Amino acid sequence: MNILRLFKLLLCSLAITIAGTSFAQAEEGTDPLNKPEIWGMLTSDPGSTFLWSTYVGKPWITLTYNEKERVESWKLELLATIQASIEEKVVAEEKAQPVSKVWGEGQSQEEIAHVEEVKLAAEQEAHFKEIESQMLKESAEISSLKSNVVMNFILIEENFETEYNALGEEYTYYEMVHPDGKYSREKWVTEKSKELRVLKKKEFQRLKAQMIQEEMGY
């Protein structure tokens, strides 16, 4: 989807009258706001705060605490769905592999339990790595806008602000640090992209810990 079409989606979402279910009345579950096109993009890029803002139809900075919490719960559900999909893929691949011997043959119950525990731990870590990769991936919007930093600089900074705010951080605009405009904008964008990746990694670690606690029933 090109940038123009994505901005049209955002403008439509911000309209006073929104077709379909409203944010406040949304049901839990897959695609709670019934916006399949944007939801489909979120399944490929769940870490994009710009897409989440587009999905709910509000700039992230205007969301209330409860609204942000609700979006956060949707994100966790989406990540769990992605994880389940990965698990299904792993199971399917395992079933497709030929069995060289009968499982557990010649092994004690303790050995079988240990092997199974190690296997599950490895699979869980692989799942988390996949989720981390999705979250740390640069949003399609910023990546596309970077093709011409000078022309798209204002839009890039607006996207940065949305991403930073979604992570609970405040974005400082270029002109506030370099009012004379002499500092390279390309270098600034590169530095902020790296900084944003660090913040996303920190957020992933928080979500990972939360998901592990939920699995353990804490």
Side-chain angles (χ1 to χ4, degrees):
M1 174 177 293
N2 59 38
I3 296 299
L4 179 59
R5 189 176 180 192
L6 193 56
F7 275 115
K8 286 183 178 179
L9 282 172
L10 179 59
L11 290 174
C12 289
S13 298
L14 293 175
I16 295 177
T17 303
I18 302 176
T21 308
S22 69
F23 184 21
Q25 298 173 330
E27 298 179 356
E28 300 299 328
T30 303
D31 193 8
L33 296 181
N34 192 26
K35 298 179 181 180
E37 188 170 8
I38 305 175
W39 187 260
M41 289 187 286
L42 280 167
T43 59
S44 299
D45 192 5
S48 173
T49 51
F50 182 79
L51 285 178
W52 282 112
S53 294
T54 304
Y55 184 68
V56 302
K58 294 182 179 181
W60 188 267
I61 196 172
T62 67
L63 297 183
T64 65
Y65 174 81
N66 289 335
E67 288 174 333
K68 288 181 179 179
E69 284 292 300
R70 194 165 196 183
V71 171
E72 195 66 36
S73 71
W74 291 344
K75 183 190 293 185
L76 285 174
E77 288 178 5
L78 182 55
L79 290 172
T81 300
I82 293 173
Q83 182 176 352
S85 177
I86 296 171
E87 291 175 352
E88 290 178 2
K89 183 178 179 181
V90 170
V91 171
E93 289 176 350
E94 289 179 347
K95 288 182 178 179
Q97 295 176 354
V99 180
S100 58
K101 67 175 183 177
V102 177
W103 168 247
E105 183 179 353
Q107 294 179 308
S108 67
Q109 290 296 322
E110 290 78 9
E111 290 174 326
I112 294 174
H114 176 69
V115 171
E116 186 65 22
E117 182 179 346
V118 171
K119 179 182 175 183
L120 290 175
E123 289 178 356
Q124 184 183 55
E125 188 59 30
H127 300 160
F128 279 131
K129 285 186 179 298
E130 178 65 23
I131 293 173
E132 181 181 23
S133 176
Q134 290 290 338
M135 286 191 66
L136 296 184
K137 184 170 63 176
E138 185 173 69
S139 71
E141 298 76 36
I142 292 179
S143 180
S144 178
L145 290 169
K146 278 184 177 180
S147 62
N148 192 329
V149 172
V150 175
M151 180 179 291
N152 300 324
F153 190 67
I154 293 177
L155 294 176
I156 291 173
E157 287 215 287
E158 288 178 353
N159 274 270
F160 275 154
E161 182 179 35
T162 299
E163 297 259 15
Y164 272 66
N165 289 341
L167 296 168
E169 300 290 337
E170 183 177 350
Y171 177 74
T172 302
Y173 274 80
Y174 170 89
E175 64 180 12
M176 295 181 68
V177 181
H178 303 287
D180 58 7
K182 294 181 179 180
Y183 191 76
S184 169
R185 285 173 171 75
E186 288 83 358
K187 189 173 182 180
W188 173 270
V189 169
T190 298
E191 291 170 350
K192 289 302 174 182
S193 294
K194 291 180 180 179
E195 186 177 283
L196 183 58
R197 183 178 175 84
V198 171
L199 293 174
K200 286 183 176 180
K201 192 172 185 66
K202 181 180 177 181
E203 175 66 5
F204 164 74
Q205 294 298 336
R206 186 189 71 78
L207 292 175
K208 178 181 178 181
Q210 183 176 338
M211 292 170 72
I212 291 175
Q213 288 179 346
E214 289 178 353
E215 287 183 3
M216 297 179 68
Y218 291 168

